Amino acid sequence: MAKYKSHLLVCGGTGCRASESDAVFESLKAAIAEKGLEQEVQVIMTGCFGFCERGPIVKVLPDNTFYTQVKSSDAAEIVAEHIIKGRKVNRILYTDPKTKEHISDSKHMGFYKKQIRIALRNCGVINPENIDEYIARDGYQALGMAFEMGPQAAIDLIKKSGLRGRGGGGFPTGVKWELALQNKADQKYVVCNADEGDPGAFMDRSILEGDPHSVIEAMTINGFCIGASKGLIYIRAEYPLAIQRLKIAIGQAREYGLLGKDILGSGFDFDLELRYGAGAFVCGEETALIHSMEGDRGEPTFKPPFPAQSGYLAKPTIVNNVETFANVPVIFLKGVEWFTSIGTEKSKGTKVFALAGKINNVGLIEVPMGITLREVIYEIGGGIKNGKKFKAVQTGGPSGGCLTEKHLDTPIDYDNLIAAGSMMGSGGMIVMDEDDCMVSVAKFFLDFTVEESCGKCSPCRIGNKRLYEVLNRICEGKGTMEELDRLRNLSQVIKDTSLCGLGQTSPNPVLSTLDNFYDEYLDHVQNHKCKAGQCKALMNYVIDPEACTGCTLCARVCPVNAISGERKMPHFIDTTICIKCGACMEKCKFNAISIQ
Amino acid sequence: MSHIKVELKKEDVAKLKEICKSFNNKPGELINVLHQAQTHFGYLPAEVQEIIARELNISVAKVYGVVTFYTFFTMIPKGQHPISVCTGTACYVRGAENVVEELKRALNINVGETTPDGKFSLSCLRCVGACGLAPVVMVGEKVYGRVSPDGVADILKEYE
């Protein structure tokens, strides 16, 4: 490889590409070419840096300078000033929101300080479309180590590391592998679950887009450990970039003899195929996923038999999540002792979270297990947007629950989150502020579950629909006290009697909001009030006669003529006509209109 | 759904048979076949499903069952510019619902429908992974970030 003096890394993740990082990449290349620096400076498009809030991101190596919200028009200046003259372009450096100082080195940014990147170790560092860059970062060494150790010793290593499934359940990965090793069969399969369907989680996509080889290497190790010669990656068809990069990576691995026959002279054969999901959340459940790969409706079936006993085409099958696989090679390289030194007693290592919602630093973060919510929200996330008050954080997606202020100092791990009435899930972490109505949030998740329920078992198909209807009535101010009790009872029945993980966890958003925000439910039912001002049926727009100047603007924008009043006199909204569109409040220049 | 009658051309039938054959007419490859068929036709009308069923030697009911199970497959032709609003949780808490309402109003169609002139179709999808830009709207492959109801008209104007 050519030796370059410095590198310009442009984020090629979905978030940054949506804000046109492609154009930034091309402009930087053009600017470098114009100055004749192609032999000294390399421009690379990498995977996600995680700091999606301020994309597009450009990082300059070796000095770690971190430019945010870069436009293609900035390219010439970056090259002329930074690369040639060595002067950083302050204008686009990250500014610390507290001290208002420019921070040039990403290591000193609050967003990165508390992070430990294991699964994301190569994201934003290497060019995902070049296998040499992965190999230069010790890629495919773990595979060689596994070959030397032999299957049982390699499985023992994973068992000792305490690695647990990162897709949601938290099942010990090594134990799963051992079960598949013990089951004798002429053909076994390794499956990577990349059907990321949790709304608000995108870590699997970022890993596949930023570091596809780590997953390919881990799947090959897994295949060697259990004696499987075939691997399948089940990926969402909605992830075109991840699919494209996986295809490139698989092609390169075959070319290098890292996939195919007699890998690295070990006598072991392994190859990979892609299978496409078609948009069904329930296919994240492993039995449903297997049925979908067989060309059927993705409906789950009863366990046992577990897939490790009888899975794809009735052969022993291991299904692991993308993030779980991404952890595997590092455990071989750095050892069990190092891995187990990170995390809590029963949850080792790190977890990737997609931090989003009403928070200043939206992005993808990887933190050690045992970190507190407070550290995540206030130190990494930079606090709540627009200085509003923190209300809740939702983890675990549609299967999880809401955590509140009292959970802020609880160390995050699998068991603590379940004890708090939520779960780890795949790692969505949505922050909500005082303007979010928790009944509406529960309704939002139930709406999702109703739509995504496969319909096979009645508790999930019918029960969730009834839960949704009750929540809807409460949001319209038509709920009764009896219905509040019914919500809780029905939730419990659905949890106890549903067939698969989706149904068994679907009432969690209802139960956790009932537990933590019962007052809000009461307010809706008894006082017909929604304090957050989200439930339209319960709101009334009111004009403050003191503040109103009688400018008539509100009356003119009202689409249903519900506002009356003389010019220069206080106006009045007729609530029987008002459709609560909010146009008047938006237009009022005197803040005279409020929601009550 | 069968009210949309489609006359399949000879070459379309040949193309379908070719797709099935490329997967060795194996019933287990149904989903892969449907993906390719939808890429070719843009949607999966009943007539297409019948041919696939015959080629893979499975019942039409089974094909229909799979097509209707997965949200990615559609039996209604999408508009020339398919509009998808992300209704993932991050977009939801940043006001995606109001954007959907405004699009419904501006286009005068419901979610899952196509405008009579075939220009736009409206659908919701779950998380495109650009939560930093929430709420997100996609028109075709193009992603629009931080969309507010007020910004809807400007986006639509680009396609007129």
Side-chain angles (χ1 to χ4, degrees), chain A residues 486-501:
Chain A
R486 209 182 302 151
L487 267 186
R488 197 181 281 278
N489 292 338
L490 184 56
S491 294
Q492 206 53 54
V493 171
I494 296 170
K495 266 179 100 88
D496 292 344
T497 56
S498 288
L499 173 67
C500 81

PDB file of all heavy atoms in Angstrom, chain A residues 486-501:
ATOM      1  N   ARG A 486     -58.577  -2.701  33.433  1.00  0.00           N
ATOM      2  CA  ARG A 486     -58.625  -3.696  32.366  1.00  0.00           C
ATOM      3  C   ARG A 486     -57.313  -3.685  31.556  1.00  0.00           C
ATOM      4  O   ARG A 486     -56.829  -4.721  31.140  1.00  0.00           O
ATOM      5  CB  ARG A 486     -59.831  -3.446  31.451  1.00  0.00           C
ATOM      6  CG  ARG A 486     -60.338  -4.745  30.835  1.00  0.00           C
ATOM      7  CD  ARG A 486     -61.492  -4.517  29.890  1.00  0.00           C
ATOM      8  NE  ARG A 486     -62.616  -3.856  30.529  1.00  0.00           N
ATOM      9  CZ  ARG A 486     -63.475  -3.071  29.865  1.00  0.00           C
ATOM     10  NH1 ARG A 486     -63.310  -2.863  28.570  1.00  0.00           N
ATOM     11  NH2 ARG A 486     -64.471  -2.521  30.480  1.00  0.00           N
ATOM     12  N   LEU A 487     -56.770  -2.491  31.359  1.00  0.00           N
ATOM     13  CA  LEU A 487     -55.490  -2.379  30.649  1.00  0.00           C
ATOM     14  C   LEU A 487     -54.432  -3.267  31.299  1.00  0.00           C
ATOM     15  O   LEU A 487     -53.741  -4.022  30.654  1.00  0.00           O
ATOM     16  CB  LEU A 487     -54.977  -0.930  30.705  1.00  0.00           C
ATOM     17  CG  LEU A 487     -55.299   0.043  29.595  1.00  0.00           C
ATOM     18  CD1 LEU A 487     -54.549   1.341  29.849  1.00  0.00           C
ATOM     19  CD2 LEU A 487     -54.930  -0.510  28.240  1.00  0.00           C
ATOM     20  N   ARG A 488     -54.364  -3.155  32.626  1.00  0.00           N
ATOM     21  CA  ARG A 488     -53.340  -3.900  33.356  1.00  0.00           C
ATOM     22  C   ARG A 488     -53.593  -5.410  33.284  1.00  0.00           C
ATOM     23  O   ARG A 488     -52.674  -6.197  33.010  1.00  0.00           O
ATOM     24  CB  ARG A 488     -53.302  -3.435  34.814  1.00  0.00           C
ATOM     25  CG  ARG A 488     -52.039  -3.827  35.532  1.00  0.00           C
ATOM     26  CD  ARG A 488     -52.071  -3.352  36.967  1.00  0.00           C
ATOM     27  NE  ARG A 488     -51.767  -1.932  37.112  1.00  0.00           N
ATOM     28  CZ  ARG A 488     -50.522  -1.432  37.134  1.00  0.00           C
ATOM     29  NH1 ARG A 488     -49.495  -2.247  36.981  1.00  0.00           N
ATOM     30  NH2 ARG A 488     -50.314  -0.155  37.290  1.00  0.00           N
ATOM     31  N   ASN A 489     -54.865  -5.812  33.494  1.00  0.00           N
ATOM     32  CA  ASN A 489     -55.183  -7.245  33.479  1.00  0.00           C
ATOM     33  C   ASN A 489     -54.926  -7.857  32.110  1.00  0.00           C
ATOM     34  O   ASN A 489     -54.311  -8.916  31.991  1.00  0.00           O
ATOM     35  CB  ASN A 489     -56.652  -7.472  33.861  1.00  0.00           C
ATOM     36  CG  ASN A 489     -56.887  -7.118  35.313  1.00  0.00           C
ATOM     37  OD1 ASN A 489     -55.947  -7.110  36.108  1.00  0.00           O
ATOM     38  ND2 ASN A 489     -58.131  -6.799  35.655  1.00  0.00           N
ATOM     39  N   LEU A 490     -55.424  -7.177  31.091  1.00  0.00           N
ATOM     40  CA  LEU A 490     -55.263  -7.700  29.735  1.00  0.00           C
ATOM     41  C   LEU A 490     -53.783  -7.794  29.374  1.00  0.00           C
ATOM     42  O   LEU A 490     -53.345  -8.777  28.769  1.00  0.00           O
ATOM     43  CB  LEU A 490     -56.024  -6.796  28.747  1.00  0.00           C
ATOM     44  CG  LEU A 490     -56.035  -7.236  27.293  1.00  0.00           C
ATOM     45  CD1 LEU A 490     -56.582  -8.638  27.144  1.00  0.00           C
ATOM     46  CD2 LEU A 490     -56.882  -6.272  26.446  1.00  0.00           C
ATOM     47  N   SER A 491     -53.012  -6.787  29.765  1.00  0.00           N
ATOM     48  CA  SER A 491     -51.572  -6.804  29.494  1.00  0.00           C
ATOM     49  C   SER A 491     -50.939  -8.059  30.078  1.00  0.00           C
ATOM     50  O   SER A 491     -50.135  -8.735  29.441  1.00  0.00           O
ATOM     51  CB  SER A 491     -50.883  -5.577  30.096  1.00  0.00           C
ATOM     52  OG  SER A 491     -51.327  -4.420  29.462  1.00  0.00           O
ATOM     53  N   GLN A 492     -51.311  -8.365  31.301  1.00  0.00           N
ATOM     54  CA  GLN A 492     -50.743  -9.533  31.969  1.00  0.00           C
ATOM     55  C   GLN A 492     -51.106 -10.820  31.221  1.00  0.00           C
ATOM     56  O   GLN A 492     -50.271 -11.699  31.030  1.00  0.00           O
ATOM     57  CB  GLN A 492     -51.248  -9.588  33.427  1.00  0.00           C
ATOM     58  CG  GLN A 492     -50.321 -10.320  34.371  1.00  0.00           C
ATOM     59  CD  GLN A 492     -48.883  -9.785  34.321  1.00  0.00           C
ATOM     60  OE1 GLN A 492     -48.646  -8.593  34.498  1.00  0.00           O
ATOM     61  NE2 GLN A 492     -47.919 -10.657  34.025  1.00  0.00           N
ATOM     62  N   VAL A 493     -52.362 -10.910  30.766  1.00  0.00           N
ATOM     63  CA  VAL A 493     -52.803 -12.108  30.035  1.00  0.00           C
ATOM     64  C   VAL A 493     -52.006 -12.259  28.736  1.00  0.00           C
ATOM     65  O   VAL A 493     -51.538 -13.353  28.401  1.00  0.00           O
ATOM     66  CB  VAL A 493     -54.322 -12.034  29.727  1.00  0.00           C
ATOM     67  CG1 VAL A 493     -54.732 -13.169  28.792  1.00  0.00           C
ATOM     68  CG2 VAL A 493     -55.130 -12.084  31.004  1.00  0.00           C
ATOM     69  N   ILE A 494     -51.817 -11.155  28.019  1.00  0.00           N
ATOM     70  CA  ILE A 494     -51.075 -11.222  26.754  1.00  0.00           C
ATOM     71  C   ILE A 494     -49.637 -11.680  27.013  1.00  0.00           C
ATOM     72  O   ILE A 494     -49.100 -12.516  26.302  1.00  0.00           O
ATOM     73  CB  ILE A 494     -51.077  -9.844  26.041  1.00  0.00           C
ATOM     74  CG1 ILE A 494     -52.513  -9.457  25.661  1.00  0.00           C
ATOM     75  CG2 ILE A 494     -50.203  -9.869  24.795  1.00  0.00           C
ATOM     76  CD1 ILE A 494     -52.667  -8.021  25.164  1.00  0.00           C
ATOM     77  N   LYS A 495     -49.043 -11.130  28.067  1.00  0.00           N
ATOM     78  CA  LYS A 495     -47.663 -11.517  28.419  1.00  0.00           C
ATOM     79  C   LYS A 495     -47.561 -13.014  28.703  1.00  0.00           C
ATOM     80  O   LYS A 495     -46.628 -13.681  28.295  1.00  0.00           O
ATOM     81  CB  LYS A 495     -47.237 -10.773  29.696  1.00  0.00           C
ATOM     82  CG  LYS A 495     -46.488  -9.486  29.452  1.00  0.00           C
ATOM     83  CD  LYS A 495     -46.144  -8.835  30.781  1.00  0.00           C
ATOM     84  CE  LYS A 495     -44.710  -9.103  31.168  1.00  0.00           C
ATOM     85  NZ  LYS A 495     -43.780  -8.132  30.635  1.00  0.00           N
ATOM     86  N   ASP A 496     -48.559 -13.522  29.439  1.00  0.00           N
ATOM     87  CA  ASP A 496     -48.485 -14.917  29.896  1.00  0.00           C
ATOM     88  C   ASP A 496     -48.815 -15.924  28.802  1.00  0.00           C
ATOM     89  O   ASP A 496     -48.387 -17.071  28.861  1.00  0.00           O
ATOM     90  CB  ASP A 496     -49.447 -15.133  31.078  1.00  0.00           C
ATOM     91  CG  ASP A 496     -48.993 -14.380  32.317  1.00  0.00           C
ATOM     92  OD1 ASP A 496     -47.816 -13.975  32.341  1.00  0.00           O
ATOM     93  OD2 ASP A 496     -49.814 -14.184  33.235  1.00  0.00           O
ATOM     94  N   THR A 497     -49.618 -15.531  27.830  1.00  0.00           N
ATOM     95  CA  THR A 497     -50.156 -16.554  26.934  1.00  0.00           C
ATOM     96  C   THR A 497     -49.724 -16.445  25.477  1.00  0.00           C
ATOM     97  O   THR A 497     -50.096 -17.292  24.680  1.00  0.00           O
ATOM     98  CB  THR A 497     -51.710 -16.522  26.970  1.00  0.00           C
ATOM     99  OG1 THR A 497     -52.144 -15.204  26.639  1.00  0.00           O
ATOM    100  CG2 THR A 497     -52.248 -16.907  28.322  1.00  0.00           C
ATOM    101  N   SER A 498     -48.955 -15.408  25.111  1.00  0.00           N
ATOM    102  CA  SER A 498     -48.564 -15.289  23.703  1.00  0.00           C
ATOM    103  C   SER A 498     -47.507 -16.327  23.339  1.00  0.00           C
ATOM    104  O   SER A 498     -46.765 -16.799  24.193  1.00  0.00           O
ATOM    105  CB  SER A 498     -48.016 -13.893  23.417  1.00  0.00           C
ATOM    106  OG  SER A 498     -49.062 -12.964  23.440  1.00  0.00           O
ATOM    107  N   LEU A 499     -47.472 -16.640  22.050  1.00  0.00           N
ATOM    108  CA  LEU A 499     -46.580 -17.695  21.573  1.00  0.00           C
ATOM    109  C   LEU A 499     -45.106 -17.284  21.576  1.00  0.00           C
ATOM    110  O   LEU A 499     -44.243 -18.014  22.014  1.00  0.00           O
ATOM    111  CB  LEU A 499     -47.012 -18.104  20.155  1.00  0.00           C
ATOM    112  CG  LEU A 499     -46.099 -19.083  19.419  1.00  0.00           C
ATOM    113  CD1 LEU A 499     -46.108 -20.452  20.077  1.00  0.00           C
ATOM    114  CD2 LEU A 499     -46.538 -19.216  17.965  1.00  0.00           C
ATOM    115  N   CYS A 500     -44.829 -16.092  21.045  1.00  0.00           N
ATOM    116  CA  CYS A 500     -43.412 -15.750  20.857  1.00  0.00           C
ATOM    117  C   CYS A 500     -43.033 -14.492  21.605  1.00  0.00           C
ATOM    118  O   CYS A 500     -43.850 -13.841  22.252  1.00  0.00           O
ATOM    119  CB  CYS A 500     -43.101 -15.583  19.364  1.00  0.00           C
ATOM    120  SG  CYS A 500     -43.560 -13.990  18.695  1.00  0.00           S
ATOM    121  N   GLY A 501     -41.761 -14.153  21.496  1.00  0.00           N
ATOM    122  CA  GLY A 501     -41.225 -13.004  22.197  1.00  0.00           C
ATOM    123  C   GLY A 501     -41.934 -11.700  21.885  1.00  0.00           C
ATOM    124  O   GLY A 501     -42.055 -10.831  22.739  1.00  0.00           O
TER     125      GLY A 501
END
